[in-house]
Amino acid sequence: MPKRPPLTTPSTPDEARSSPAGADEVVTAVLTASRLLVAVSARSLASVEEALTLPQFRMLVVLDSRGAMNISRLGEHLDVIPSTAMRMVDRLVGAGMLARTANPANRREILIDLTDAGRRVVHQATEHRRDEIARIVAAMPSDQRAGLIEALNAFTQAGGEPPAHVKPSLDVGW
């Protein structure tokens, strides 16, 4: 199974919930925020490509952020076994969003990568999501935004997620 980055204490969910500093409140807040973010993601994806599922979109995002890779490595990044990853790849190749190519360094290895259509879907859905998140953030009290940035950066770093693509113009009016 995939290897996750090592976490510092607490090492189990039960320890995290019972640790000091309101960890249970943090978990509840993150779960609530994740519902909002999943809804934003689903709406953003549906506005670009209705037939694509969130797990399929996640595969496209992994390839967009990390580059071409073999099926085993792709499965590790998605926390799925290679046969599950292969079925997803088959569907996305059929939809014209992924392509298989021989690894130039090892012709026996097949690399999975985005096609132009797959990359376009990722970028368009991400722009829709960015716009909706910008509207939500603009509705927040301005004095709480810096703390949100710090907390979310720490959260995503602890989870091993690479940063999202930075939009060339970050001036969204706040």
PDB file of all heavy atoms in Angstrom, residues 2-22:
ATOM      1  N   PRO A   2       0.309   2.381  -0.342  1.00  0.00           N
ATOM      2  CA  PRO A   2       1.075   3.609  -0.434  1.00  0.00           C
ATOM      3  C   PRO A   2       1.655   4.035   0.907  1.00  0.00           C
ATOM      4  O   PRO A   2       1.084   3.789   1.955  1.00  0.00           O
ATOM      5  CB  PRO A   2       0.042   4.630  -0.909  1.00  0.00           C
ATOM      6  CG  PRO A   2      -1.102   3.853  -1.427  1.00  0.00           C
ATOM      7  CD  PRO A   2      -1.061   2.519  -0.767  1.00  0.00           C
ATOM      8  N   LYS A   3       2.766   4.691   0.819  1.00  0.00           N
ATOM      9  CA  LYS A   3       3.422   5.212   2.007  1.00  0.00           C
ATOM     10  C   LYS A   3       3.029   6.675   2.171  1.00  0.00           C
ATOM     11  O   LYS A   3       3.119   7.462   1.248  1.00  0.00           O
ATOM     12  CB  LYS A   3       4.942   5.121   1.866  1.00  0.00           C
ATOM     13  CG  LYS A   3       5.442   3.723   1.580  1.00  0.00           C
ATOM     14  CD  LYS A   3       5.433   2.871   2.825  1.00  0.00           C
ATOM     15  CE  LYS A   3       6.077   1.534   2.655  1.00  0.00           C
ATOM     16  NZ  LYS A   3       5.435   0.611   1.780  1.00  0.00           N
ATOM     17  N   ARG A   4       2.585   7.022   3.340  1.00  0.00           N
ATOM     18  CA  ARG A   4       2.244   8.400   3.665  1.00  0.00           C
ATOM     19  C   ARG A   4       3.439   9.044   4.344  1.00  0.00           C
ATOM     20  O   ARG A   4       4.230   8.364   4.997  1.00  0.00           O
ATOM     21  CB  ARG A   4       1.035   8.454   4.604  1.00  0.00           C
ATOM     22  CG  ARG A   4      -0.245   8.064   3.938  1.00  0.00           C
ATOM     23  CD  ARG A   4      -0.651   9.215   3.089  1.00  0.00           C
ATOM     24  NE  ARG A   4      -1.912   8.924   2.429  1.00  0.00           N
ATOM     25  CZ  ARG A   4      -2.276   9.515   1.320  1.00  0.00           C
ATOM     26  NH1 ARG A   4      -1.500  10.381   0.748  1.00  0.00           N
ATOM     27  NH2 ARG A   4      -3.416   9.231   0.777  1.00  0.00           N
ATOM     28  N   PRO A   5       3.566  10.361   4.233  1.00  0.00           N
ATOM     29  CA  PRO A   5       4.657  11.019   4.936  1.00  0.00           C
ATOM     30  C   PRO A   5       4.520  10.781   6.434  1.00  0.00           C
ATOM     31  O   PRO A   5       3.403  10.713   6.944  1.00  0.00           O
ATOM     32  CB  PRO A   5       4.490  12.496   4.602  1.00  0.00           C
ATOM     33  CG  PRO A   5       3.253  12.632   3.827  1.00  0.00           C
ATOM     34  CD  PRO A   5       2.713  11.277   3.533  1.00  0.00           C
ATOM     35  N   PRO A   6       5.661  10.645   7.126  1.00  0.00           N
ATOM     36  CA  PRO A   6       5.579  10.415   8.566  1.00  0.00           C
ATOM     37  C   PRO A   6       4.937  11.613   9.254  1.00  0.00           C
ATOM     38  O   PRO A   6       5.213  12.754   8.929  1.00  0.00           O
ATOM     39  CB  PRO A   6       7.033  10.241   8.997  1.00  0.00           C
ATOM     40  CG  PRO A   6       7.840  10.826   7.901  1.00  0.00           C
ATOM     41  CD  PRO A   6       7.015  10.742   6.648  1.00  0.00           C
ATOM     42  N   LEU A   7       4.055  11.317  10.191  1.00  0.00           N
ATOM     43  CA  LEU A   7       3.406  12.358  10.958  1.00  0.00           C
ATOM     44  C   LEU A   7       4.045  12.421  12.332  1.00  0.00           C
ATOM     45  O   LEU A   7       4.489  11.421  12.875  1.00  0.00           O
ATOM     46  CB  LEU A   7       1.907  12.057  11.108  1.00  0.00           C
ATOM     47  CG  LEU A   7       1.106  12.014   9.818  1.00  0.00           C
ATOM     48  CD1 LEU A   7      -0.320  11.581  10.109  1.00  0.00           C
ATOM     49  CD2 LEU A   7       1.115  13.362   9.134  1.00  0.00           C
ATOM     50  N   THR A   8       4.074  13.604  12.901  1.00  0.00           N
ATOM     51  CA  THR A   8       4.560  13.728  14.261  1.00  0.00           C
ATOM     52  C   THR A   8       3.428  13.380  15.209  1.00  0.00           C
ATOM     53  O   THR A   8       2.301  13.191  14.792  1.00  0.00           O
ATOM     54  CB  THR A   8       5.046  15.170  14.527  1.00  0.00           C
ATOM     55  OG1 THR A   8       3.963  16.059  14.281  1.00  0.00           O
ATOM     56  CG2 THR A   8       6.216  15.512  13.624  1.00  0.00           C
ATOM     57  N   THR A   9       3.719  13.303  16.478  1.00  0.00           N
ATOM     58  CA  THR A   9       2.688  12.957  17.445  1.00  0.00           C
ATOM     59  C   THR A   9       1.551  13.963  17.361  1.00  0.00           C
ATOM     60  O   THR A   9       1.789  15.125  17.074  1.00  0.00           O
ATOM     61  CB  THR A   9       3.258  12.926  18.880  1.00  0.00           C
ATOM     62  OG1 THR A   9       3.796  14.192  19.144  1.00  0.00           O
ATOM     63  CG2 THR A   9       4.278  11.836  19.041  1.00  0.00           C
ATOM     64  N   PRO A  10       0.342  13.608  17.575  1.00  0.00           N
ATOM     65  CA  PRO A  10      -0.152  12.265  17.836  1.00  0.00           C
ATOM     66  C   PRO A  10      -0.172  11.417  16.578  1.00  0.00           C
ATOM     67  O   PRO A  10      -0.349  11.928  15.492  1.00  0.00           O
ATOM     68  CB  PRO A  10      -1.566  12.493  18.377  1.00  0.00           C
ATOM     69  CG  PRO A  10      -1.985  13.800  17.800  1.00  0.00           C
ATOM     70  CD  PRO A  10      -0.730  14.618  17.622  1.00  0.00           C
ATOM     71  N   SER A  11      -0.005  10.102  16.756  1.00  0.00           N
ATOM     72  CA  SER A  11       0.151   9.218  15.607  1.00  0.00           C
ATOM     73  C   SER A  11      -1.128   8.490  15.213  1.00  0.00           C
ATOM     74  O   SER A  11      -1.164   7.865  14.174  1.00  0.00           O
ATOM     75  CB  SER A  11       1.260   8.204  15.873  1.00  0.00           C
ATOM     76  OG  SER A  11       0.931   7.427  17.003  1.00  0.00           O
ATOM     77  N   THR A  12      -2.158   8.547  16.038  1.00  0.00           N
ATOM     78  CA  THR A  12      -3.412   7.887  15.688  1.00  0.00           C
ATOM     79  C   THR A  12      -4.550   8.883  15.777  1.00  0.00           C
ATOM     80  O   THR A  12      -4.460   9.885  16.494  1.00  0.00           O
ATOM     81  CB  THR A  12      -3.717   6.705  16.642  1.00  0.00           C
ATOM     82  OG1 THR A  12      -4.003   7.236  17.937  1.00  0.00           O
ATOM     83  CG2 THR A  12      -2.578   5.709  16.702  1.00  0.00           C
ATOM     84  N   PRO A  13      -5.655   8.619  15.050  1.00  0.00           N
ATOM     85  CA  PRO A  13      -6.801   9.527  15.123  1.00  0.00           C
ATOM     86  C   PRO A  13      -7.327   9.703  16.548  1.00  0.00           C
ATOM     87  O   PRO A  13      -7.699  10.803  16.939  1.00  0.00           O
ATOM     88  CB  PRO A  13      -7.841   8.855  14.227  1.00  0.00           C
ATOM     89  CG  PRO A  13      -7.035   8.057  13.258  1.00  0.00           C
ATOM     90  CD  PRO A  13      -5.838   7.580  14.053  1.00  0.00           C
ATOM     91  N   ASP A  14      -7.344   8.625  17.349  1.00  0.00           N
ATOM     92  CA  ASP A  14      -7.830   8.744  18.725  1.00  0.00           C
ATOM     93  C   ASP A  14      -6.937   9.668  19.538  1.00  0.00           C
ATOM     94  O   ASP A  14      -7.416  10.474  20.332  1.00  0.00           O
ATOM     95  CB  ASP A  14      -7.912   7.370  19.392  1.00  0.00           C
ATOM     96  CG  ASP A  14      -9.084   6.549  18.873  1.00  0.00           C
ATOM     97  OD1 ASP A  14     -10.053   7.157  18.347  1.00  0.00           O
ATOM     98  OD2 ASP A  14      -9.031   5.310  18.975  1.00  0.00           O
ATOM     99  N   GLU A  15      -5.614   9.555  19.344  1.00  0.00           N
ATOM    100  CA  GLU A  15      -4.698  10.442  20.056  1.00  0.00           C
ATOM    101  C   GLU A  15      -4.898  11.887  19.625  1.00  0.00           C
ATOM    102  O   GLU A  15      -4.851  12.802  20.443  1.00  0.00           O
ATOM    103  CB  GLU A  15      -3.247  10.034  19.795  1.00  0.00           C
ATOM    104  CG  GLU A  15      -2.836   8.746  20.476  1.00  0.00           C
ATOM    105  CD  GLU A  15      -1.423   8.338  20.099  1.00  0.00           C
ATOM    106  OE1 GLU A  15      -0.629   9.197  19.659  1.00  0.00           O
ATOM    107  OE2 GLU A  15      -1.101   7.148  20.237  1.00  0.00           O
ATOM    108  N   ALA A  16      -5.140  12.115  18.329  1.00  0.00           N
ATOM    109  CA  ALA A  16      -5.347  13.477  17.820  1.00  0.00           C
ATOM    110  C   ALA A  16      -6.585  14.102  18.450  1.00  0.00           C
ATOM    111  O   ALA A  16      -6.576  15.267  18.833  1.00  0.00           O
ATOM    112  CB  ALA A  16      -5.474  13.470  16.300  1.00  0.00           C
ATOM    113  N   ARG A  17      -7.654  13.317  18.563  1.00  0.00           N
ATOM    114  CA  ARG A  17      -8.891  13.854  19.132  1.00  0.00           C
ATOM    115  C   ARG A  17      -8.777  14.130  20.622  1.00  0.00           C
ATOM    116  O   ARG A  17      -9.449  15.004  21.137  1.00  0.00           O
ATOM    117  CB  ARG A  17     -10.051  12.903  18.843  1.00  0.00           C
ATOM    118  CG  ARG A  17     -10.542  12.994  17.398  1.00  0.00           C
ATOM    119  CD  ARG A  17     -11.854  12.262  17.217  1.00  0.00           C
ATOM    120  NE  ARG A  17     -11.703  10.825  17.366  1.00  0.00           N
ATOM    121  CZ  ARG A  17     -11.374   9.984  16.391  1.00  0.00           C
ATOM    122  NH1 ARG A  17     -11.161  10.434  15.185  1.00  0.00           N
ATOM    123  NH2 ARG A  17     -11.270   8.691  16.605  1.00  0.00           N
ATOM    124  N   SER A  18      -7.933  13.386  21.313  1.00  0.00           N
ATOM    125  CA  SER A  18      -7.833  13.557  22.756  1.00  0.00           C
ATOM    126  C   SER A  18      -6.672  14.457  23.170  1.00  0.00           C
ATOM    127  O   SER A  18      -6.493  14.718  24.344  1.00  0.00           O
ATOM    128  CB  SER A  18      -7.691  12.185  23.436  1.00  0.00           C
ATOM    129  OG  SER A  18      -6.469  11.584  23.054  1.00  0.00           O
ATOM    130  N   SER A  19      -5.877  14.934  22.214  1.00  0.00           N
ATOM    131  CA  SER A  19      -4.730  15.775  22.561  1.00  0.00           C
ATOM    132  C   SER A  19      -5.197  17.181  22.923  1.00  0.00           C
ATOM    133  O   SER A  19      -6.305  17.584  22.613  1.00  0.00           O
ATOM    134  CB  SER A  19      -3.734  15.814  21.397  1.00  0.00           C
ATOM    135  OG  SER A  19      -4.293  16.498  20.308  1.00  0.00           O
ATOM    136  N   PRO A  20      -4.311  17.938  23.581  1.00  0.00           N
ATOM    137  CA  PRO A  20      -4.680  19.302  23.976  1.00  0.00           C
ATOM    138  C   PRO A  20      -4.841  20.211  22.765  1.00  0.00           C
ATOM    139  O   PRO A  20      -4.663  19.808  21.632  1.00  0.00           O
ATOM    140  CB  PRO A  20      -3.507  19.746  24.849  1.00  0.00           C
ATOM    141  CG  PRO A  20      -2.398  18.812  24.562  1.00  0.00           C
ATOM    142  CD  PRO A  20      -2.995  17.556  23.996  1.00  0.00           C
ATOM    143  N   ALA A  21      -5.161  21.451  23.007  1.00  0.00           N
ATOM    144  CA  ALA A  21      -5.288  22.496  21.990  1.00  0.00           C
ATOM    145  C   ALA A  21      -6.515  22.307  21.125  1.00  0.00           C
ATOM    146  O   ALA A  21      -6.527  22.713  19.972  1.00  0.00           O
ATOM    147  CB  ALA A  21      -4.026  22.593  21.132  1.00  0.00           C
ATOM    148  N   GLY A  22      -7.559  21.692  21.665  1.00  0.00           N
ATOM    149  CA  GLY A  22      -8.819  21.612  20.948  1.00  0.00           C
ATOM    150  C   GLY A  22      -8.759  20.807  19.669  1.00  0.00           C
ATOM    151  O   GLY A  22      -9.387  21.184  18.685  1.00  0.00           O
TER     152      GLY A  22
END
